[in-house]
C-alpha cells in the first residue's frame, strides 16, 4: 500500500464515522508564542480544547504537517542515527470535542488498524496509564485483548497534559511487535523498551481532567479525544520496511541523492547517516520555505538555516563541494505535492532560496577558515593543543559551522576542543534567547472567557458594507473586569451585538469612531480582536454607557477610506513586485494605516532604483485603469485551487474572502478595500530598506498623503532653485559638488606636499627602542587616506619601525598605527592601537601591520603619544 493510499484511507475512514475533514494547518503556528513550530496534530485545535474557540463540528480528522526541530521538542540531532526520528513528519489524527470518548476512540482505532489496514491482531499490544481501569476494561471486554497484552505504564509515558495547568488525561498507545530481529535482544525487552521491536503506532489521549495551579485534577464537563499516528511509521509497517527511510515517502529522494552525489545506500553506516540527514532535511526545508520562512540568524529562521547547513555539511562529508541540496526539492514535490499543493506552487522559489543559502554557507566556510587559521596561529604561540570554547562558539554562532565540522577541522590539525567551554557559551546564548523570546502561554484571560460565552452567530461584523449601525451593548470590560457601566472620563472595552468597526487584523489597523448611547457619547480610539469578538477601546466623553444599552455606532469614514486605499495598494504592490523581481517574492508582514503603509517581503538584496521606478509605474498604471476590485467568498481549497496567493503563516477558516483586482491580483484577505483601483488616487514609494536577513521593506503612500508628499518635494525644489538662482537645481548642485571635490583635492595635494617637504624633520623625531624606530607624529586636518600615504613614505625611510600618526579633525583625533613587515611578530598594530584607544575612551583595531582608530576628544593627543611610547618600551 502506497503512503498516499494510507493517508487517504485513514481520512476516509473517519469521514465515514462523521468526522469533519480539516486541512493541515501551517508549520508556523499563528498566535501561539509558546511554539516554535506546529509539533503535533492537536495544535490547530488547541483553542477548542481550552474552550476559547467554537467550531461548527464536534468531530474532526486531519493529516497535520509537523516539525520537531528547535525549541522544547526537537529531534534534529537524532535524525540520521535512528530509524524513526524526523524533523518534518505527518501526523494522522482524529479528535472529539466533547462528543465521543474512550470507548468509541478505542473501537475506531482497533477497527481501522485490524480490518482496514489488516495488521495482525496477534502482534498488537496496548499500553495504558496505570490508574486507568476504564481503558483496561474497554480493551479487554470490548476489543477482546488478553490482560497480558494490556501493559500499565506510569505518568511519564502514559499521561498527557497541554501545559503545567489546563486540560490533561491518560493515554493509551497501540503498539506492534515487529519481531526479535528488530529488538535489542535483552532478556527483559518488552513494551516500553527503547528498541524498535515494540513500536508505538498510535497514541490515544483521553482528555478528561483539568489540572489547577496546585496540581489538583477536576473532571472536565465535556471530556475530549486527541489521537496521533505518524504517517511515516504506519507506512513503514504496512510496506514491511526496516526504517521509515525505506518507504516510498523517502526512497525517491534517496535515489536522487545517490545519483547526484555518486554514493551508495546501505553499503556503509556513515554514508547512510549522511544520506538520511539530507533526505529528511530537504523535506523540512521545502515545507518551511514554501510557507514563507527565510534562513536568518534568529528564531525560526535560524532553525531553518541550521537545517540547511547541517544538510550541506553532510553533502560535503559525501565528497561533494558545490551547491546541490536545492536539486532534491524536485523529488519532495513529486511525492508530496498532490497532498500539499503549496510546495508545488512554491517549488522554484524554494529551490532559489536554498541555492542562495548554500552559496552563502560556502562563503561563510571560507571566512571561517581564515578565522580558524588565526586561531591556529594563536595556539602555536601559547603551545596549547585545545581550541577554547569561546573560539568554537564564534565559529559555530557567527559563521554557522556545525559543531561536528569544527571538530573535524580540529582533528585535521591534531587539536582537540574545549567542549565544556563551548557548551557553557551555548547555554549562555540559549538563556539570552529564552529571555528575548519569552512569551505568555497562549490563551484568553478569564475576563474574556466570560464575554466569549456569547455564541459566534449572535455577533456580527457588518463593516464591509456598512459604516454605521444601531446595535446593542452586550458586555463592558474595565481594568480586566466585566462591569455594568462606564462613566464620563472612564476608559474601557465595549462589545456590541453588531459592529461596523474593523478590528486590527492582517496588518490593517483597527477602526476609530464614535458610539452614541441614550445617555452618553463615547470616542472609539481603537478596535482589537479577542477571539472572534470585536473589542471597542472607548473613552466616555459625555454621560454614561450601560450594559444592554441600545446605541448608534459610527466609524470615522474618511479614515477608513484612507485605510482602504492603502490596503488595496498593498495588493497592487505585491503583484508588481512579483512581476518585476520574480515569483519568489512573498509577503512576510505589513502595516496598513490611514497615513501610510509598509510592506515586508522575502528578497535577498536591495531593490534598485530602476526596479523601484518600474514597480511604482506599474501600480500607478493599474490605478489609472480603474480596475474593479471584486470580493468573493468561497472554500479555502477552492480558492487555493484557483491559484490565489495565500500567506501560509496565516490561519484561514474553511470559508475565505478572495480579493481580486481584475486580471492582475488574487489574494486571500479579510481586510477592507476600495471598489475600484482608481479610488487610490496615486501611489508613491517613500523608502526601501532591509528589515532582517532575506526580508526587505517598502514604505509607501497613497491618496491625499501622496499629494502632500509631492507638494512638499515640489516646494523644496522651488526653494533650491531660488537659492541657487537656477531653473535646473539638480544640475546646479552637481556643479557645486564637482567644484568642492576639485578644491578638496587641491587642498589635500598641498597638505601632502607640505608634509613631504618636512619628511626629513619628521624622521629625525624617531626614537630608538630595543633596536626599533618608534615614531609618533601629531598633525592637523589630515584625513585617513592622507595619513596612509604619509605612513607608506615613512616606512620606506624607517625600518624596522612602529609609526603612530595622529591628526586632529573637527575636534577629534584620527589615529593610524603601522608596523614594518619585518617586526609584526613582535608588535601587533591592531592590539596596540586597541589598548591605546580604549584608555582614552576611543575605538581602534586592525591587522598586525596596520590599524586605524580614533578618540572623541582631540585634546587627548598628548596622552595618546605617551601611551604609545610606554607600550613600545614594554614590548
Amino acid at each position: 500500500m502506497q503512503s498516499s493510499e494510507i493517508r487517504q484511507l485513514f481520512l476516509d475512514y473517519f469521514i465515514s464515522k462523521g468526522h469533519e475533514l480539516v486541512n493541515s494547518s501551517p508549520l508556523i503556528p499563528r498566535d501561539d508564542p509558546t511554539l516554535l513550530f506546529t509539533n503535533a496534530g492537536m495544535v490547530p485545535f488547541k483553542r477548542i480544547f481550552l474552550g476559547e474557540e467554537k467550531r461548527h463540528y464536534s468531530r474532526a480528522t486531519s493529516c497535520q504537517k509537523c516539525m520537531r526541530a528547535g525549541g522544547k521538542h526537537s529531534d534534529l540531532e537524532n535524525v540520521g542515527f535512528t530509524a524513526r526520528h524526523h524533523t518534518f513528519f505527518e501526523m494522522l489524527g482524529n479528535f472529539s470535542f466533547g462528543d465521543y470518548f474512550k470507548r468509541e476512540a478505542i473501537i475506531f482505532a482497533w477497527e481501522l488498524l485490524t480490518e482496514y489496514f489488516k495488521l495482525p491482531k496477534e502482534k498488537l499490544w496496548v499500553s495504558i496509564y496505570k490508574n486507568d481501569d476504564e481503558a483496561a476494561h474497554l480493551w479487554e471486554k470490548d476489543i477482546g485483548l488478553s490482560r497480558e497484552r494490556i501493559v500499565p505504564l506510569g505518568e511519564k509515558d502514559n499521561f498527557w497534559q497541554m501545559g503545567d495547568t489546563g486540560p490533561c488525561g491518560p493515554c493509551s498507545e497501540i503498539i506492534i511487535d515487529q519481531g526479535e530481529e528488530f529488538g535489542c535482544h535483552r532478556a527483559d525487552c518488552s513494551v516500553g523498551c527503547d528498541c524498535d521491536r515494540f513500536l508505538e503506532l498510535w497514541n490515544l489521549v483521553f482528555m478528561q481532567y483539568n489540572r489547577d495551579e496546585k496540581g489538583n485534577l477536576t473532571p472536565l464537563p465535556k471530556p475530549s479525544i486527541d489521537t496521533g499516528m505518524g504517517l511515516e511509521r504506519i507506512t513503514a509497517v504496512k510496506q514491511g520496511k526496516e526504517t521509515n527511510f525505506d518507504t516510498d515517502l523517502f526512497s525517491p529522494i534517496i535515489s536522487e541523492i545517490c545519483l547526484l552525489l555518486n554514493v551508495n545506500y546501505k553499503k556503509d553506516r556513515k554514508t547512510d547517516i549522511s544520506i538520511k540527514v539530507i533526505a529528511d532535511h530537504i523535506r523540512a526545508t521545502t515545507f518551511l520555505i514554501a510557507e514563507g520562512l527565510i534562513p536568518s540568524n534568529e528564531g525560526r529562521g535560524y532553525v531553518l538555516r541550521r537545517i540547511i547547513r547541517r544538510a550541506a555539511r553532510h553533502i560535503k562529508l559525501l565528497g561533494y563541494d558545490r551547491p546541490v541540496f536545492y536539486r532534491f526539492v524536485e523529488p519532495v514535490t513529486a511525492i508530496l505535492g498532490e497532498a500539499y499543493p503549496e510546495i508545488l506552487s512554491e517549488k522554484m522559489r524554494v529551490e532559489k532560496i536554498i541555492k542562495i543559502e548554500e552559496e552563502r554557507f560556502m562563503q561563510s566556510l571560507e571566512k571561517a577558515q581564515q578565522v580558524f587559521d588565526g586561531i591556529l596561529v594563536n595556539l602555536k604561540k601559547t603551545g596549547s593543543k585545545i581550541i577554547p570554547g569561546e573560539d568554537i562558539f564564534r565559529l559555530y554562532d557567527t559563521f554557522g559551522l556545525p559543531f561536528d565540522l569544527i571538530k573535524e577541522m580540529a582533528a585535521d590539525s591534531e587539536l582537540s576542543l574545549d567542549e565544556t567551554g563551548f557548551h557553557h557559551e551555548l547555554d549562555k546564548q540559549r538563556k539570552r534567547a529564552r529571555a528575548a523570546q519569552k512569551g505568555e502561554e497562549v490563551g484568553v484571560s478569564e475576563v474574556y472567557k466570560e464575554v466569549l460565552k456569547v455564541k459566534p452567530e449572535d455577533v456580527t461584523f457588518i463593516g464591509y458594507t456598512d459604516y454605521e449601525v444601531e446595535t446593542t451593548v452586550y458586555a463592558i470590560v474595565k481594568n480586566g473586569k466585566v462591569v455594568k457601566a462606564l462613566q464620563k472620563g472612564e476608559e474601557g472595552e465595549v462589545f456590541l451585538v453588531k459592529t461596523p468597526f474593523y478590528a486590527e487584523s492582517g496588518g490593517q489597523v483597527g477602526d476609530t469612531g464614535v458610539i452614541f448611547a441614550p445617555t452618553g457619547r463615547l470616542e472609539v480610539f481603537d478596535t482589537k480582536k479577542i477571539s472572534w469578538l470585536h473589542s471597542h477601546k472607548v473613552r466616555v466623553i459625555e454621560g454614561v454607557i450601560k450594559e444592554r444599552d441600545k446605541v448608534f455606532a459610527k466609524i470615522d469614514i474618511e479614515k477608513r477610506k484612507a485605510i482602504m486605499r492603502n490596503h488595496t495598494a498593498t495588493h497592487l504592490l505585491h503583484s508588481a513586485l512579483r512581476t518585476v523581481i520574480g515569483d519568489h517574492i512573498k509577503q512576510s508582514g505589513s502595516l496598513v494605516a490611514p497615513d501610510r503603509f509598509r510592506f515586508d517581503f522575502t528578497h535577498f538584496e536591495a531593490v534598485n532604483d530602476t526596479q523601484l521606478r518600474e514597480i511604482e509605474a506599474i501600480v500607478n498604471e493599474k490605478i489609472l485603469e480603474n480596475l474593479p476590485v471584486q470580493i468573493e467568498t468561497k472554500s479555502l481549497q477552492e480558492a487555493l485551487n484557483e491559484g490565489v496567493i495565500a500567506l501560509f503563516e496565516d490561519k484561514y477558516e474553511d470559508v475565505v474572502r478572495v480579493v481580486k483586482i481584475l486580471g492582475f491580483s488574487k489574494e486571500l484577505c479579510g481586510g477592507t478595500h476600495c471598489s475600484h483601483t482608481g479610488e487610490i488616487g496615486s501611489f508613491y514609494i517613500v523608502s526601501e530598506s532591509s528589515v532582517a536577513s532575506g526580508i526587505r521593506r517598502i514604505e509607501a503612500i497613497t491618496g491625499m498623503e501622496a499629494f502632500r508628499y509631492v507638494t512638499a518635494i515640489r516646494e523644496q525644489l522651488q526653494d533650491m532653485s531660488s537659492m541657487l538662482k537656477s531653473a535646473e537645481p539638480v544640475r546646479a548642485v552637481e556643479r557645486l559638488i564637482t567644484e568642492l571635490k576639485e578644491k578638496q583635492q587641491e587642498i589635500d595635494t598641498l597638505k601632502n606636499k607640505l608634509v613631504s617637504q618636512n619628511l626629513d624633520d619628521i624622521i629625525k623625531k624617531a626614537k630608538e627602542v630595543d633596536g626599533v624606530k618608534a615614531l609618533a607624529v601629531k598633525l592637523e586636518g589630515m584625513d585617513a587616506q592622507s595619513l596612509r600615504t604619509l605612513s607608506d613614505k615613512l616606512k620606506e625611510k624607517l625600518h624596522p619601525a612602529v609609526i603612530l600618526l595622529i591628526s586632529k579633525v573637527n575636534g577629534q583625533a584620527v589615529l593610524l598605527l603601522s608596523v614594518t613587515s619585518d617586526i609584526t611578530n613582535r608588535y601587533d598594530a591592531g592590539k596596540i592601537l586597541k589598548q591605546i584607544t580604549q584608555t582614552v575612551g576611543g575605538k581602534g583595531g586592525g591587522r598586525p601591520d596596520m590599524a586605524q582608530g580614533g578618540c572623541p576628544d582631540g585634546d587627548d593627543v598628548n596622552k595618546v603619544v605617551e601611551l604609545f611610547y610606554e607600550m613600545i618600551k614594554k614590548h
Side-chain angles (χ1 to χ4, degrees):
M1 185 179 280
Q2 296 294 298
S3 57
S4 57
E5 296 174 297
I6 293 170
R7 184 193 297 112
Q8 196 59 51
L9 177 57
F10 180 95
L11 298 174
D12 287 344
Y13 172 82
F14 280 103
I15 291 169
S16 73
K17 301 296 182 182
H19 291 65
E20 178 84 6
L21 174 61
V22 178
N23 290 325
S24 174
S25 288
L27 289 169
I28 302 171
R30 187 188 181 206
D31 297 336
D32 193 343
T34 67
L35 285 179
L36 201 63
F37 299 110
T38 298
N39 56 21
M42 60 74 60
V43 170
F45 306 109
K46 192 171 180 179
R47 289 188 183 277
I48 304 177
F49 286 125
L50 288 168
E52 297 166 4
E53 186 177 313
K54 297 174 184 177
R55 303 270 177 97
H56 67 272
Y57 48 82
S58 58
R59 299 182 177 197
T61 186
S62 68
C63 182
Q64 175 61 46
K65 300 178 292 185
C66 295
M67 182 72 63
R68 291 184 182 171
K72 290 186 290 186
H73 306 285
S74 178
D75 290 330
L76 184 61
E77 303 299 337
N78 293 320
V79 172
F81 295 91
T82 69
R84 314 289 170 205
H85 284 103
H86 303 292
T87 50
F88 170 86
F89 62 96
E90 297 177 73
M91 185 68 82
L92 299 163
N94 60 288
F95 308 88
S96 165
F97 312 114
D99 189 330
Y100 62 82
F101 197 47
K102 289 184 188 180
R103 183 175 182 276
E104 293 89 341
I106 287 171
I107 290 173
F108 287 156
W110 187 259
E111 182 180 60
L112 180 58
L113 289 179
T114 59
E115 296 184 25
Y116 288 79
F117 285 141
K118 307 294 184 184
L119 298 187
K121 295 180 181 180
E122 65 275 10
K123 290 187 176 182
L124 295 178
W125 295 61
V126 298
S127 67
I128 59 168
Y129 179 51
K130 61 184 180 182
N131 297 333
D132 193 358
D133 295 334
E134 182 186 3
H137 177 81
L138 289 168
W139 281 115
E140 185 177 13
K141 300 302 180 185
D142 287 50
I143 301 303
L145 272 181
S146 60
R147 265 288 176 178
E148 57 268 20
R149 289 193 9 235
I150 305 170
V151 182
L153 295 175
E155 188 167 333
K156 179 177 177 292
D157 294 301
N158 277 66
F159 196 92
W160 182 92
Q161 56 192 58
M162 193 175 291
D164 293 334
T165 61
C168 57
C171 309
S172 183
E173 295 175 344
I174 303 175
I175 294 149
I176 188 166
D177 180 359
Q178 298 196 97
E180 291 184 9
E181 63 272 21
F182 286 84
C184 56
H185 305 296
R186 295 202 313 263
D188 61 345
C189 181
S190 61
V191 171
C193 184
D194 288 334
C195 71
D196 280 337
R197 176 174 176 177
F198 293 96
L199 179 69
E200 176 204 333
L201 276 182
W202 202 344
N203 188 19
L204 314 180
V205 178
F206 310 130
M207 219 178 294
Q208 64 187 101
Y209 300 111
N210 184 67
R211 190 191 295 272
D212 64 21
E213 289 80 359
K214 295 180 181 179
N216 299 319
L217 297 178
T218 306
L220 291 171
K222 290 186 176 181
S224 297
I225 291 294
D226 158 28
T227 86
M229 175 165 60
L231 176 64
E232 290 78 8
R233 289 196 180 195
I234 184 64
T235 300
V237 169
K238 280 298 297 172
Q239 294 180 358
K241 301 298 183 181
E242 185 178 348
T243 77
N244 294 356
F245 292 95
D246 300 319
T247 68
D248 67 335
L249 287 164
F250 286 92
S251 54
I253 306 171
I254 289 175
S255 296
E256 191 71 6
I257 292 168
C258 292
L259 178 66
L260 292 179
L261 303 186
N262 194 28
V263 292
N264 294 310
Y265 184 48
K266 295 204 169 180
K267 297 290 184 182
D268 175 80
R269 183 176 179 274
K270 284 187 176 180
T271 299
D272 286 355
I273 289 171
S274 292
I275 290 171
K276 289 175 183 177
V277 168
I278 298 164
D280 172 273
H281 287 12
I282 192 60
R283 296 193 339 148
T285 301
T286 298
F287 276 88
L288 288 175
I289 296 177
E291 288 193 10
L293 193 62
I294 293 289
S296 66
N297 290 327
E298 58 186 10
R300 298 181 178 106
Y302 181 73
V303 175
L304 173 59
R305 172 161 284 168
R306 191 176 171 210
I307 290 170
I308 295 173
R309 294 189 171 188
R310 190 167 187 260
R313 153 73 176 147
H314 281 275
I315 288 169
K316 186 176 175 63
L317 283 177
L318 295 178
Y320 204 91
D321 58 2
R322 297 187 302 280
V324 72
F325 188 50
Y326 73 97
R327 295 180 66 179
F328 305 131
V329 173
E330 176 66 42
V332 175
T333 56
I335 299 164
L336 296 170
E338 185 176 350
Y340 305 103
E342 65 267 25
I343 63 172
L344 281 175
S345 60
E346 296 292 319
K347 178 176 173 289
M348 290 179 64
R349 178 176 160 274
V350 171
E351 290 174 336
K352 183 173 182 178
I353 290 173
I354 294 174
K355 187 177 182 183
I356 290 171
E357 183 62 21
E358 283 188 272
E359 290 167 345
R360 284 187 171 184
F361 180 53
M362 289 179 179
Q363 293 168 2
S364 294
L365 207 53
E366 290 178 14
K367 292 176 183 176
Q369 187 65 55
Q370 295 173 5
V371 173
F372 187 79
D373 292 341
I375 294 169
L376 296 184
V377 170
N378 291 333
L379 289 177
K380 284 179 182 177
K381 288 180 182 178
T382 61
S384 174
K385 290 284 186 181
I386 302 172
I387 298 179
E390 288 184 4
D391 289 332
I392 302 168
F393 182 74
R394 183 154 65 105
L395 291 167
Y396 172 86
D397 189 56
T398 305
F399 297 99
L401 296 193
F403 180 77
D404 50 358
L405 175 56
I406 302 170
K407 200 168 188 177
E408 183 185 285
M409 292 165 68
D412 290 344
S413 301
E414 298 181 350
L415 298 172
S416 58
L417 303 179
D418 172 17
E419 295 193 30
T420 302
F422 166 71
H423 288 293
H424 176 69
E425 293 295 324
L426 197 58
D427 285 340
K428 285 200 297 186
Q429 186 210 46
R430 284 171 179 161
K431 286 176 183 176
R432 288 194 298 269
R434 280 196 294 270
Q437 296 177 2
K438 188 177 180 183
E440 295 181 1
E441 176 68 33
V442 65
V444 175
S445 63
E446 291 300 320
V447 62
Y448 295 119
K449 286 182 181 178
E450 186 176 340
V451 178
L452 282 164
K453 288 178 181 177
V454 65
K455 295 177 181 179
E457 57 268 24
D458 291 340
V459 294
T460 312
F461 169 64
I462 60 167
Y464 289 132
T465 56
D466 297 308
Y467 295 161
E468 56 189 48
V469 69
E470 290 184 357
T471 182
T472 304
V473 176
Y474 74 82
I476 302 173
V477 172
K478 179 190 172 187
N479 297 330
K481 293 181 180 178
V482 175
V483 296
K484 295 295 183 182
L486 289 175
Q487 306 292 331
K488 181 179 179 179
E490 291 185 328
E491 292 187 2
E493 299 170 70
V494 169
F495 295 85
L496 305 175
V497 173
K498 287 183 181 180
T499 179
F501 288 81
Y502 183 87
E504 181 179 331
S505 179
Q508 180 174 325
V509 299
D511 277 332
T512 61
V514 292
I515 296 175
F516 295 97
T519 56
R521 179 169 62 89
L522 293 80
E523 174 197 359
V524 180
F525 57 86
D526 199 2
T527 311
K528 301 285 188 183
K529 223 171 212 180
I530 308 293
S531 191
W532 67 82
L533 301 177
H534 288 223
S535 164
H536 305 81
K537 310 284 185 179
V538 301
R539 185 180 298 110
V540 182
I541 307 301
E542 294 176 5
V544 63
I545 187 169
K546 301 186 292 296
E547 186 182 12
R548 301 303 169 198
D549 269 355
K550 301 290 184 182
V551 299
F552 178 74
K554 181 179 180 180
I555 68 170
D556 183 330
I557 297 171
E558 291 308 312
K559 185 176 178 181
R560 165 71 85 80
K561 286 181 178 178
I563 291 169
M564 288 160 60
R565 285 192 285 269
N566 282 334
H567 205 151
T568 304
T570 66
H571 288 225
L572 293 176
L573 174 61
H574 194 180
S575 285
L577 280 163
R578 290 168 69 91
T579 300
V580 174
I581 301 176
D583 288 341
H584 67 281
I585 295 295
K586 197 82 174 173
Q587 181 178 345
S588 61
S590 68
L591 169 70
V592 182
D595 58 336
R596 74 197 190 285
F597 74 85
R598 67 170 184 247
F599 187 85
D600 297 344
F601 57 98
T602 56
H603 191 48
F604 285 94
E605 59 191 7
V607 184
N608 62 47
D609 289 340
T610 302
Q611 291 172 322
L612 288 174
R613 283 195 295 271
E614 187 178 353
I615 290 162
E616 201 172 62
I618 290 172
V619 173
N620 280 295
E621 283 173 9
K622 298 305 171 185
I623 292 171
L624 286 173
E625 289 174 18
N626 198 26
L627 300 173
V629 180
Q630 299 174 345
I631 310 294
E632 298 176 355
T633 302
K634 56 184 63 180
S635 74
L636 175 60
Q637 198 56 53
E638 185 183 357
L640 294 176
N641 291 341
E642 289 180 6
V644 172
I645 292 177
L647 307 182
F648 287 102
E649 67 271 21
D650 278 0
K651 181 182 177 182
Y652 296 109
E653 300 297 332
D654 296 332
V655 177
V656 295
R657 287 177 87 240
V658 178
V659 177
K660 293 183 179 180
I661 300 174
L662 196 62
F664 190 66
S665 169
K666 288 189 294 186
E667 294 190 36
L668 296 184
C669 182
T672 61
H673 289 274
C674 304
S675 62
H676 289 78
T677 58
E679 295 170 26
I680 297 169
S682 58
F683 164 88
Y684 289 101
I685 293 173
V686 176
S687 67
E688 191 277 345
S689 60
S690 172
V691 179
S693 177
I695 305 291
R696 307 296 301 181
R697 170 174 292 170
I698 282 179
E699 296 201 45
I701 50 179
T702 66
M704 287 305 297
E705 286 298 326
F707 173 76
R708 284 188 277 269
Y709 173 74
V710 171
T711 300
I713 292 174
R714 185 171 60 190
E715 289 173 353
Q716 289 175 16
L717 283 172
Q718 288 171 346
D719 290 344
M720 285 175 63
S721 294
S722 298
M723 292 168 63
L724 297 167
K725 294 180 172 57
S726 171
E728 296 180 321
V730 175
R731 290 189 179 179
V733 170
E734 287 175 348
R735 285 196 300 270
L736 281 174
I737 292 171
T738 301
E739 289 174 13
L740 282 171
K741 285 181 178 178
E742 290 172 354
K743 297 297 182 187
Q744 188 61 50
Q745 286 175 357
E746 289 177 18
I747 292 168
D748 292 341
T749 301
L750 289 170
K751 282 181 181 177
N752 289 331
K753 281 182 180 178
L754 187 61
V755 172
S756 297
Q757 288 170 2
N758 298 323
L759 202 60
D760 291 339
D761 292 335
I762 294 172
I763 290 170
K764 288 175 185 177
K765 294 178 182 179
K767 298 179 181 181
E768 187 84 24
V769 181
D770 293 334
V772 172
K773 301 288 185 181
L775 175 62
V777 184
K778 294 181 284 184
L779 302 157
E780 289 286 341
M782 294 189 69
D783 60 16
Q785 182 58 50
S786 299
L787 292 180
R788 282 194 289 271
T789 302
L790 177 58
S791 174
D792 291 340
K793 290 179 179 179
L794 289 171
K795 284 197 289 185
E796 289 175 5
K797 302 282 186 178
L798 288 170
H799 58 81
V802 182
I803 302 164
L804 175 64
L805 302 180
I806 312 163
S807 175
K808 285 180 69 174
V809 180
N810 298 326
Q812 297 183 337
V814 179
L815 312 178
L816 183 82
L817 183 66
S818 58
V819 177
T820 54
S821 59
D822 48 351
I823 54 169
T824 50
N825 59 335
R826 292 175 58 191
Y827 300 93
D828 187 313
K831 290 181 179 178
I832 294 171
L833 189 63
K834 186 176 181 180
Q835 291 180 43
I836 291 172
T837 53
Q838 283 179 343
T839 305
V840 293
K843 290 183 179 180
R847 305 189 308 267
D849 62 326
M850 181 173 286
Q852 287 181 231
C855 54
D857 191 348
D859 294 335
D860 286 330
V861 167
N862 292 330
K863 189 174 182 181
V864 168
V865 172
E866 289 174 16
L867 288 168
F868 169 71
Y869 284 119
E870 285 175 13
M871 293 189 68
I872 300 305
K873 287 177 183 177
K874 286 180 183 178
H875 278 71

